[in-house]
Amino acid sequence: MKMNNLNKILASALIITIVSTACNEGKGTADQAAAEPTFQDNTLTDAQKAEGWKLLFDGQNLDGWRGYNQENLPESWVVEEGTLKSLGEGGDIGGDIVYDLQEFGNFELSLDWKIEEGGNSGIFYHIVEGDQYETAYHTAPEFQLIDQEGFPEKLEPWQSLGGDYGMYDPDYEEAMKPAGLWNNARIIFSENKVEYYLNGKKTVEFQPWSEDWRQRKEEGKWKDFPDYGEARSGLIGLQDHGSFIWFKNIKIREL
């Protein structure tokens, strides 16, 4: 009888210890989650504002955006649940949009994006407008956004995700995410060095207007476009190349 009572006491103590430990661990997890900072899309922290960042899209309206070489915004671009979305009605020419409230020369641009399966799009900078240009890429370099795995045609290295389209091949391995998932793209441009980043990984680095840059231009895709990449400043733009694509947290700062 005494041994049975002792076993009961020990068993009860063990249960109390297990329950107490589990409660404490759960409390720690909850406290840790509560302490972790949360960030609202399409907003800037005080620290980011102090560093000179500005938003190009607030998640609610499309103020400042219009069609390339147009006065108004194409109907194929909409605000959807806090994102700037292309409905995929554009093509090789037509449908691209620009932010026209300010031109940028040296800058750092960061944005989040996701694309539908098989989709294709891009980020333009140093865009120049005019009747002599049919589309943004006749003057503007492009950070290539594409479903690398699901695109229905074979992609050349210069067409690949995270590349300087038509100029510099990217190293996107280990940074690529499947279509439908959010990514981050970042461009750091200065006259001495340009860097592209995909989800934190550097995909491309080059020196603009260098001998190497000019040789690539003169011998490659842009050999018949004399004004491609020559502008030292210009507009920021986004491409509608016939695919659904979503953007948010579009922010930039001058360098």
Side-chain angles (χ1 to χ4, degrees), residues 21-235:
T21 300
C23 290
N24 287 334
E25 288 179 352
K27 181 175 183 298
T29 302
D31 289 345
Q32 183 180 4
E36 291 178 352
T38 57
F39 299 99
Q40 183 177 351
D41 284 339
N42 306 308
T43 61
L44 295 175
T45 65
D46 290 339
Q48 289 172 329
K49 293 176 183 177
E51 293 172 349
W53 290 97
K54 65 174 294 183
L55 288 173
L56 303 189
F57 171 63
D58 66 1
Q60 301 177 25
N61 61 67
L62 293 172
D63 291 349
W65 292 92
R66 58 173 174 78
Y68 176 79
N69 269 347
Q70 301 176 36
E71 295 183 358
N72 301 311
L73 187 77
E75 294 182 358
S76 57
W77 289 88
V78 298
V79 176
E80 180 181 274
E81 298 180 349
T83 70
L84 171 53
K85 179 183 178 181
S86 164
L87 299 179
E89 298 176 5
D92 190 50
I93 295 176
D96 301 340
I97 59 174
V98 297
Y99 182 81
D100 74 346
L101 298 186
Q102 184 178 349
E103 293 189 358
F104 297 92
N106 295 339
F107 64 87
E108 180 176 1
L109 171 71
S110 174
L111 58 78
D112 296 332
W113 63 278
K114 67 177 179 178
I115 198 166
E116 70 171 330
E117 186 175 350
N120 180 12
S121 182
I123 307 165
F124 296 119
Y125 58 92
H126 291 179
I127 297 172
V128 178
E129 293 182 297
D131 293 339
Q132 67 272 41
Y133 306 122
E134 291 184 300
T135 186
Y137 65 71
H138 285 187
T139 61
E142 176 186 352
F143 183 124
Q144 172 76 321
L145 307 178
I146 198 164
D147 177 11
Q148 189 71 29
E149 292 184 327
F151 193 72
E153 302 173 16
K154 180 183 177 181
L155 293 173
E156 300 296 334
W158 56 268
Q159 297 174 304
S160 294
L161 175 63
D164 186 48
Y165 184 81
M167 290 286 282
Y168 289 90
D169 303 347
D171 176 13
Y172 57 82
E173 297 295 336
E174 301 177 357
M176 179 178 61
K177 294 183 180 180
L181 297 183
W182 283 105
N183 298 264
N184 177 261
R186 188 159 59 105
I187 302 171
I188 304 175
F189 186 96
S190 74
E191 295 189 5
N192 296 320
K193 183 171 64 174
V194 182
E195 297 171 293
Y196 291 1
Y197 290 85
L198 175 66
N199 298 321
K201 178 179 181 178
K202 184 189 295 185
T203 58
V204 160
E205 179 179 324
F206 61 92
Q207 183 179 353
W209 313 302
S210 63
E211 182 178 346
D212 174 69
W213 183 91
R214 294 206 172 276
Q215 182 176 354
R216 290 170 183 263
K217 174 183 173 179
E218 292 168 2
E219 297 178 357
K221 183 176 179 63
W222 310 115
K223 61 183 178 181
D224 297 325
F225 297 88
D227 293 334
Y228 167 84
E230 297 294 342
R232 304 288 167 132
S233 66
L235 302 176

